[in-house]
Amino acid sequence: MDKMTTITNVEFGKMINAAAASLAANADKINKLNVFPVPDGDTGTNMSLSMASGAQYERDALDTHIGALAKATSKGLLMGARGNSGVILSQIFRGFSNAVEDKETLNARDLADALMSGAQVAYKSVMKPTEGTILTVIREAAAKANQVADETDDLVELMREINDTAHSALASTPDLLPVLKEVGVVDSGGQGLVFVLQAFYQVLSGDFSEEDIKAPDNAELDQMVKELHAGAQANSNLDPNDIEYGYCTEIMVQIGQGTTYDQKFDYDHFYQHLAGLGDSLLVINDDEIVKVHVHTENPGEVLSWGTHFGSLVKVKVDNMRDQQQAVIDEQRTEAVQATKVIPNVTTVVNTAVITIAAGEGVAELFKSLGVHTVISGGQTMNPSTADIVEAINASGAKQVVILPNNSNIFMAADQAVELADVSVKVVKTKTIQQGLTAMMGYNPEADVSINSKDMSAMLTEVKSAQVTKAVRDTNLDGREIKHDDWMGIIDGNIAVVTDKLQTTAIESVEKMLDEDSEIVTIIYGEDAKEKDAKKLEESILTIDSDLEVEIHNGKQPLYPFLISVE
């Protein structure tokens, strides 16, 4: 094999796209490494979608300078980051990008320094770094790179050592994190990173074909997201004629290029003009490219405005009124449609609340409590950073509280806070039930900081249980769990396992009840019926007839019962 001493834009592009293609091909394998045998283990899906976004930005950059391509990749990963694993992956590439900012090409030392920077930024992004995770894999791989780069300038040899070390680090994760050893798996996020680094090595060593390097493009990425939103219900209550701005318009402009270019790009000037053309405005740019998303009645004017600042390289216009009518028509035939953001029709006051939830009934519960926007997703589909930023911008609010309702969304929500143009606080709700309880502390007229404090204080008042089926055999916390067993997960821990739904549900409630308990709330999902919830209510009242039991149809997927005790 010939020695390689320089990575140009050609090799770099292949490396990024090969990594995205590898994660897409292996997403299911990574998903199955989830410690909990729940049906929504989605580390592979999150990392795949995040990397696909990074690869799309890299391809759109149309540059030959690796510093610019790395910056584009980093931005794409950041905006597309889903779940904690996707956010950490984005931070690795953020550090990588920082280190190569001034590099037109890369040598062995440059690559090693970039990985070292990636590891450092990733560790800093996590409040309490845990060994035996993706962090261990990047740290050990970077340390090996730093060592080998002192010994050789051959990039193929360097990447081979990095790849071998990453595999070894992944194999060691069960020894560092006892829960992995107990379940008999390696860390899922670490496995995802290994696929990324392995793809880098395969590209540099010539083991990847052009077909292998083909990462999902924009259309395929949109389809992946659409499919993953299955189970979330569309807002069929909205009359298409009530949509004020009917065209979802997206453009991408290569700044300073083309024959129509006659204005120097200034973000505020560019943004303010578009803000007058519609709503749901999202403008993202770097030195080379500006991307726009806006809902408008005049898509032609959006396109025309873009041409003043450069050359249009992407245009996409969708008629949302037609789309909404199609959703209504399909729902009438009982087809399931997905929606990303469900806005409330209530007037936005001083502080708006944005929450993430799956299930039309759950969304309606949140809206009835004053939530302004429900982003469809959560347990079955983690929204990206860009999804959350878009919801913040679309709210029109000057202050926003975010309720993630899932710990795997915390980091994406925190990233959205940094990218938002308004004051945003995240109340770290881990479950739908916590989110609903947090709304009891919401005051729409209060400042966002006061709301955040008061809503967070409410979380101590509720205990949460999620009932779902195990998707595989495993042993966890000394408990044997078989495929299709019913599990009661109480505040993040598998507390009950039986072979019957009702038994699991009532035993979960029993474990949550204490002498101060007053209210039990049952939210039944797609896989349960009202009679099942009524039967559970009867069992609860048999335990304590003084309890108040509330029943709601949440229509959430995969979890027949979400139960709270307050």
Side-chain angles (χ1 to χ4, degrees):
M1 184 183 299
D2 293 337
K3 183 177 180 180
M4 178 185 289
T5 57
T6 303
I7 295 174
T8 70
N9 63 298
V10 175
E11 288 81 25
F12 183 79
K14 289 181 177 180
M15 290 163 68
I16 296 301
N17 284 275
S22 181
L23 283 173
N26 291 285
D28 286 343
K29 178 178 179 180
I30 301 169
N31 286 341
K32 291 176 182 176
L33 295 175
N34 188 30
V35 170
F36 276 8
V38 293
D40 54 357
D42 49 8
T43 299
T45 301
N46 286 337
M47 295 187 77
S48 173
L49 289 171
S50 302
M51 195 72 210
S53 177
Q56 184 67 55
Y57 272 62
E58 188 278 332
R59 293 193 298 275
D60 291 341
L62 303 175
D63 209 304
T64 60
H65 189 282
I66 281 185
L69 294 175
K71 183 178 180 181
T73 303
S74 172
K75 179 173 287 187
L77 269 156
L78 173 62
M79 299 310 295
R82 298 171 186 271
N84 294 341
S85 56
V87 173
I88 293 173
L89 186 64
S90 79
Q91 295 306 297
I92 290 172
F93 278 91
R94 178 183 176 186
F96 189 107
S97 172
N98 291 343
V100 303
E101 183 178 6
D102 300 324
K103 306 292 182 181
E104 186 168 349
T105 60
L106 301 182
N107 59 29
R109 172 44 58 192
D110 295 333
L111 181 59
D113 289 346
L115 290 174
M116 287 290 291
S117 177
Q120 291 165 2
V121 172
Y123 267 84
K124 289 178 182 177
S125 71
V126 180
M127 186 173 296
K128 295 180 180 179
T130 302
E131 295 300 334
T133 65
I134 185 175
L135 295 175
T136 300
V137 176
I138 186 58
R139 177 178 54 75
E140 294 196 11
K144 173 58 73 171
N146 190 48
Q147 173 194 331
V148 175
D150 287 338
E151 303 167 356
T152 180
D153 61 353
D154 185 354
L155 283 156
V156 177
E157 173 64 18
L158 173 64
M159 204 62 236
R160 183 183 66 80
E161 293 280 359
I162 293 170
N163 180 48
D164 289 347
T165 299
H167 277 86
S168 297
L170 177 66
S172 74
T173 55
D175 295 324
L176 298 170
L177 203 56
V179 68
L180 296 176
K181 176 169 282 190
E182 183 180 6
V183 176
V185 296
V186 294
D187 179 66
S188 55
Q191 176 67 81
L193 181 60
V194 164
F195 282 125
V196 170
L197 297 175
Q198 180 175 286
F200 284 6
Y201 171 59
Q202 289 173 323
V203 167
L204 296 183
S205 63
D207 287 345
F208 250 53
S209 68
E210 290 299 320
E211 184 61 29
D212 292 332
I213 292 171
K214 185 180 181 300
D217 60 19
N218 269 332
E220 292 167 321
L221 187 58
D222 288 345
Q223 182 60 28
M224 290 165 69
V225 172
K226 181 179 178 181
E227 290 173 356
L228 286 162
H229 272 290
Q233 299 295 317
N235 185 11
S236 60
N237 295 325
L238 180 63
D239 187 327
N241 295 320
D242 291 336
I243 297 176
E244 182 178 2
Y245 298 107
Y247 296 94
C248 177
T249 305
E250 298 178 32
I251 65 171
M252 183 186 299
V253 182
Q254 192 169 4
I255 299 172
Q257 303 296 314
T259 58
T260 59
Y261 164 61
D262 60 13
Q263 291 194 41
K264 184 177 180 181
F265 181 80
D266 175 79
Y267 183 91
D268 291 337
H269 175 57
F270 185 82
Y271 185 98
Q272 289 304 320
H273 181 79
L274 290 172
L277 299 179
D279 61 14
S280 299
L281 177 61
L282 183 62
V283 177
I284 304 167
N285 77 286
D286 55 23
D287 295 336
E288 306 291 335
I289 294 286
V290 57
K291 299 181 77 171
V292 174
H293 169 282
V294 63
H295 294 172
T296 181
E297 281 294 273
N298 300 292
E301 192 169 345
V302 175
L303 273 61
S304 176
W305 181 245
T307 61
H308 288 294
F309 300 88
S311 175
L312 296 180
V313 292
K314 176 190 172 185
V315 174
K316 183 173 182 284
V317 179
D318 292 322
N319 186 320
M320 295 190 296
R321 296 188 182 97
D322 287 349
Q323 289 178 331
Q324 179 62 14
Q325 187 60 54
V327 167
I328 294 170
D329 292 343
E330 286 195 52
Q331 282 200 330
R332 285 171 181 166
T333 59
E334 299 184 345
V336 177
Q337 290 292 322
T339 186
K340 185 178 292 184
V341 176
I342 306 174
N344 204 347
V345 295
T346 57
T347 302
V348 178
V349 279
N350 195 47
T351 301
V353 178
I354 293 172
T355 193
I356 295 94
E360 183 181 6
V362 173
E364 291 300 328
L365 277 173
F366 273 114
K367 289 192 288 183
S368 71
L369 294 173
V371 166
H372 178 272
T373 302
V374 180
I375 303 175
S376 292
Q379 293 289 55
T380 55
M381 176 60 177
N382 297 153
S384 68
T385 301
D387 291 337
I388 301 172
V389 171
E390 181 179 347
I392 293 169
N393 291 340
S395 73
K398 294 182 179 180
Q399 300 184 90
V400 172
V401 172
I402 299 174
L403 302 177
N405 303 328
N406 187 317
S407 59
N408 203 34
I409 303 175
F410 287 177
M411 294 185 74
D414 288 339
Q415 292 293 323
V417 171
E418 295 183 15
L419 295 169
D421 294 328
V422 298
S423 180
V424 182
K425 296 285 187 181
V426 180
V427 175
K428 298 295 179 69
T429 52
K430 296 181 179 180
T431 65
I432 292 295
Q433 300 95 305
Q434 284 190 350
L436 293 168
T437 299
M439 289 302 296
M440 298 298 102
Y442 169 56
N443 178 356
E445 299 302 328
D447 177 83
V448 67
S449 296
I450 295 173
N451 265 305
S452 174
K453 180 180 178 181
D454 291 347
M455 294 169 77
S456 296
M458 297 300 299
L459 302 186
T460 59
E461 304 295 321
V462 63
K463 299 174 186 175
S464 307
Q466 302 158 301
V467 181
T468 190
K469 267 189 177 182
V471 295
R472 58 179 168 81
D473 294 346
T474 191
N475 285 280
L476 187 63
D477 294 332
R479 185 193 305 273
E480 182 179 359
I481 303 171
K482 296 184 180 298
H483 185 274
D484 284 343
D485 274 350
W486 288 103
M487 300 181 297
I489 304 170
I490 299 178
D491 292 326
N493 298 306
I494 299 177
V496 179
V497 179
T498 81
D499 60 357
K500 291 183 174 58
L501 172 60
Q502 284 287 337
T503 304
T504 302
I506 191 61
E507 288 188 12
S508 297
V509 172
E510 287 177 329
K511 286 184 177 293
M512 291 190 289
L513 291 173
D514 59 34
E515 60 184 13
D516 297 321
S517 300
E518 297 177 350
I519 303 171
V520 179
T521 302
I522 303 167
I523 303 173
Y524 65 96
E526 293 177 340
D527 299 321
K529 298 180 180 179
E530 185 177 9
K531 66 178 183 180
D532 299 317
K534 290 287 189 181
K535 183 178 180 181
L536 178 56
E537 178 186 23
E538 293 174 4
S539 299
I540 293 169
L541 293 175
T542 299
I543 298 172
D544 186 346
S545 60
D546 291 331
L547 289 168
E548 179 181 341
V549 180
E550 297 181 1
I551 297 176
H552 301 281
N553 183 3
K555 301 181 182 178
Q556 70 274 6
L558 303 179
Y559 290 79
F561 289 131
L562 300 176
I563 308 168
S564 65
V565 173
E566 300 173 72

